[in-house]
């Protein structure tokens, strides 16, 4: 069984390392020749996270990467997925290949989940899966294990991939709610930004309430989107909170902290665009998501941070559950 990983950023490079070193699969890692990430790997065979072993073929030839694999893993920016998949479907033969999305986000402005984007662009829904859940590369490469989830529209594919990818470093669970797991994974990045803002303001003690109320508002959104609201309390959302709300490695938490401190942040924080997509979709569906709304207004409407935070305290008092 051969894998190609399309996207050689931190997750793409880690996945290729994982597949080749922990599972001993033949692996091809693709990156755009013009990208800094590819140039660094091409020149040194390593980056800040991993070193590429001899089982990994590094290429900037997309046709070679697509043809190489039985299973293709895509790990790029969520907002670039549609055009990327459109190009692959149009120009290469992916009809019989399995596609795994190892990325988290909601497309803006459509409000579509990422598997929906792939289906709309011509990928057979029964060939699409997602690889989601907690874990930072910096921990994995030090041998610190974690648990993750594989989900898809096809139960047999879910089981096959989870069984094929499991190791002593990653324990996989079989997902059974692709809608809820995709949305939960995307929305945890919004909560990560909020957690970073709390850190930047010196209000870290409020992360407990953020975790509880954040998971609840996401559960309502999942239900409105046709998923199982209980999935918000699983690995792909609540289970990913530690690595997003507390870890020094989280781009989304770091973005929020630097936002609160008035400092720039130049890395990709997927929660930024996801907050826009989810806020607008929630309005369309009439779902009350006060934390998401506060994050959106701070980023896109330049609302005052403390005013946005304390607006949450000025809401009417309610019973805690189901409110």
């Amino acid at each position: 069984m051969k894998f190609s990983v399309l996207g050689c950023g931190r997750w793409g490079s880690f996945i290729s390392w994982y597949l080749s070193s922990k599972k001993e699969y033949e692996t091809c890692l693709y990156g755009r020749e013009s990208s800094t990430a590819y140039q660094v790997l091409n020149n040194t065979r390593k980056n800040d996270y991993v070193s590429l072993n001899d089982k990994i073929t590094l290429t900037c030839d997309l046709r070679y990467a697509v043809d190489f694999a039985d299973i293709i893993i895509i790990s790029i920016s969520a907002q670039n997925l549609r055009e990327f998949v459109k190009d692959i479907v149009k120009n290469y033969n992916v009809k019989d290949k399995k596609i795994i999305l190892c990325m988290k986000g909601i497309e803006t402005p459509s409000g579509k989940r990422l598997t929906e984007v792939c289906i709309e662009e011509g990928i057979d829904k029964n060939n699409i899966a997602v690889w989601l859940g907690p874990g930072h590369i910096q921990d994995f490469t030090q041998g610190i294990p974690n648990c993750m989830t594989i989900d898809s529209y096809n139960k047999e594919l879910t089981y096959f991939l989870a069984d094929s990818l499991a190791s002593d470093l990653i324990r996989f669970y079989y997902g059974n709610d692709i809608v809820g797991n995709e949305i939960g994974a995307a929305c945890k990045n919004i909560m990560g930004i909020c957690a970073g803002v709390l850190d930047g303001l010196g209000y870290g003690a409020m992360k407990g309430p953020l975790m509880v109320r954040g998971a609840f508002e996401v559960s309502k959104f999942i239900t409105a989107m046709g998923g199982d609201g209980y999935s918000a309390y699983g690995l792909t959302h609540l289970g990913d909170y530690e690595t997003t709300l507390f870890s020094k490695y989280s781009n989304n938490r770091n973005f929020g902290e630097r936002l609160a401190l008035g400092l720039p942040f130049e890395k990709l924080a997927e929660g930024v665009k996801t907050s826009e997509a989810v806020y607008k979709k929630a309005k369309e569906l009439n779902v009350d998501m006060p934390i998401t709304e506060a994050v959106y207004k701070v980023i896109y409407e330049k609302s005052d941070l403390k005013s946005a935070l304390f607006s949450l305290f000025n809401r009417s008092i309610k019973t805690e559950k189901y409110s």
Side-chain angles (χ1 to χ4, degrees), residues 31-81:
R32 291 179 293 107
E33 187 174 16
S34 60
S35 73
T36 300
Y38 175 81
Q39 292 173 6
V40 168
L41 288 170
N42 192 45
N43 290 334
T44 65
R45 297 286 295 182
K46 64 181 181 179
N47 57 21
D48 292 341
Y49 310 103
V50 296
S51 295
L52 305 186
N53 59 45
D54 293 339
K55 293 188 177 69
I56 300 172
T57 301
L58 179 67
T59 185
C60 59
D61 183 338
L62 185 55
R63 182 176 299 278
Y64 177 86
V66 171
D67 290 345
F68 177 93
D70 306 298
I71 299 173
I72 294 172
I73 297 176
I74 301 178
S75 181
I76 64 172
S77 167
Q79 303 308 321
N80 293 331
L81 180 64

Side-chain angles (χ1 to χ4, degrees), residues 127-277:
N127 287 339
I128 303 173
V130 293
W131 174 344
L132 303 168
H136 280 297
I137 297 161
Q138 296 90 335
D139 291 331
F140 282 135
T141 54
Q142 294 179 51
I144 301 171
N146 217 320
C147 302
M148 304 187 82
T149 297
I150 297 289
D151 208 342
S152 75
Y153 298 91
N154 179 343
K155 184 177 179 180
E156 289 184 6
L157 180 62
T158 298
Y159 278 60
F160 169 75
L161 291 174
D163 291 344
S164 299
L165 294 170
S167 73
D168 59 357
L169 190 60
I170 301 179
R171 172 179 170 81
F172 282 99
Y173 283 83
Y174 307 124
N176 60 2
D177 177 25
I178 192 165
V179 174
N181 282 324
E182 279 193 89
I183 292 170
C187 288
K188 66 91 188 177
N189 287 332
I190 301 172
M191 301 306 156
I193 290 174
C194 190
V197 168
L198 294 177
D199 285 335
L201 294 175
Y203 297 160
M206 290 180 63
K207 287 185 183 179
L210 172 63
M211 292 171 69
V212 174
R213 301 308 302 175
F216 181 69
E217 76 172 53
V218 170
S219 74
K220 293 192 296 182
F221 185 59
I222 288 172
T223 300
M225 291 284 281
D228 181 352
Y230 185 73
S231 293
Y233 303 97
L235 279 173
T236 65
H237 185 73
L238 183 60
D240 207 353
Y241 268 17
E242 189 282 329
T243 50
T244 305
L245 272 63
F246 296 92
S247 174
K248 63 182 179 180
Y249 301 131
S250 169
N251 280 357
N252 291 283
R253 194 209 62 80
N254 286 330
F255 170 85
E257 181 174 18
R258 293 180 73 84
L259 180 67
L261 295 172
L263 299 173
F265 186 79
E266 297 179 355
K267 295 182 179 180
L268 175 65
E270 289 280 17
V272 172
K273 296 299 290 186
T274 299
S275 69
E276 178 185 12

Side-chain angles (χ1 to χ4, degrees), residues 2-8 11-20 25-30 62 65-66 69-76 81 84-85 88 97-103 127 129-131 150 161 165 172:
K2 295 182 178 181
F3 287 81
S4 279
V5 181
L6 309 184
C8 64
W11 264 107
S13 59
F14 164 73
I15 294 164
S16 65
W17 173 88
Y18 176 79
L19 294 171
S20 60
Y25 289 130
E26 288 187 66
T27 306
C28 178
L29 176 60
Y30 164 81
L62 185 55
V66 171
D70 306 298
I71 299 173
I72 294 172
I73 297 176
I74 301 178
S75 181
I76 64 172
L81 180 64
F84 189 70
V85 171
I88 290 174
K97 297 183 186 291
K98 310 304 181 187
I99 309 291
I100 306 174
L101 302 182
C102 194
M103 49 205 293
N127 287 339
V130 293
W131 174 344
I150 297 289
L161 291 174
L165 294 170
F172 282 99

Side-chain angles (χ1 to χ4, degrees), residues 79 106-112 273 276-277 280-281 284:
Q79 303 308 321
I106 302 290
E107 186 185 51
T108 184
S110 72
K112 297 291 180 68
K273 296 299 290 186
E276 178 185 12
K280 292 180 178 179
K281 192 69 177 180
E284 178 186 321

